Amino acid sequence: KNPRVYEGEVAFERQLPGNMTLSASWVVTRGERLPNYWDANLAPTTTTKVYDVVNAAGVTQSTSTVPFFVTGAGSSGRIDPTSGGMLAEFSNVNSWYNAFVLTLHKNMSHGIEILANYTLSRATDNGQSSQNQGGEGNDSGIGVLNPYNQSLEEGRSSLDIPNRFSTSVIWSPQYG
């Protein structure tokens, strides 16, 4: 299925003294059926593996149990054991992006213009693991934990940047 993206923005702007404006915006983006890639010849598993999460001293702080796909000797781990991995694209990732953007703009006066932006945001998805290089997707991401249970991938997006500040200053000399 083709992916869909819905976007919306609400902004309030206020004129300030000194030829400046201040705006506050809320931006939301919803992505549905975004592409994801994994081995379509991987057989479902009933085996799990437990990993220890340790601190710097090597003391176990918690454990994490994850599905374990066996493809070694004695078990092909494949739906079709006569074939190897078959990388396939699926349209099953959904994402949310919410942001509050604060912008201060000083219009050009006395040869100086200033634009400053602060963004507070949150980006979540349920498994967008691929990367985009030159307009083509590839499977160089970390991959999905379990292609048969996409809910395990729910969390902060790998592209999430919760705090961002940017500014630009333009100077136009009054001589010459």
Side-chain angles (χ1 to χ4, degrees):
K1 295 182 178 181
N2 288 330
R4 286 190 213 174
V5 177
Y6 303 96
E7 297 181 2
E9 179 177 358
V10 175
F12 298 96
E13 189 168 309
R14 178 80 180 175
Q15 183 74 35
L16 300 176
N19 202 19
M20 294 189 297
T21 58
L22 179 68
S23 67
S25 306
W26 176 60
V27 180
V28 63
T29 303
R30 170 68 173 161
E32 293 180 343
R33 301 191 302 242
L34 302 175
N36 206 359
Y37 309 88
W38 65 75
D39 183 358
N41 194 27
L42 192 62
T45 185
T46 57
T47 306
T48 60
K49 185 154 179 72
V50 178
Y51 291 95
D52 291 337
V53 179
V54 298
N55 63 14
V59 177
T60 300
Q61 300 296 300
S62 64
T63 60
S64 178
T65 303
V66 296
F68 187 69
F69 294 88
V70 180
T71 58
S75 172
S76 72
R78 303 280 178 198
I79 295 170
D80 178 1
T82 63
S83 180
M86 296 179 195
L87 187 62
E89 180 177 337
F90 299 88
S91 299
N92 66 337
V93 173
N94 297 313
S95 68
W96 278 102
Y97 174 78
N98 284 282
F100 172 72
V101 183
L102 198 58
T103 302
L104 179 67
H105 183 213
K106 179 193 171 296
N107 292 322
M108 181 68 76
S109 63
H110 306 292
I112 293 180
E113 180 177 356
I114 300 172
L115 179 63
N117 294 291
Y118 171 72
T119 304
L120 174 66
S121 66
R122 180 177 174 94
T124 60
D125 63 46
N126 66 336
Q128 183 85 23
S129 64
S130 62
Q131 295 178 354
N132 187 332
Q133 297 174 351
E136 296 181 20
N138 62 45
D139 189 38
S140 60
I142 59 171
V144 295
L145 188 59
N146 183 353
Y148 296 101
N149 184 359
Q150 198 72 17
S151 69
L152 297 173
E153 303 296 324
E154 186 67 43
R156 299 296 282 262
S157 173
S158 61
L159 304 174
D160 184 39
I161 302 173
N163 293 288
R164 182 173 187 265
F165 178 77
S166 64
T167 188
S168 64
V169 177
I170 299 172
W171 175 53
S172 177
Q174 300 298 313
Y175 56 89

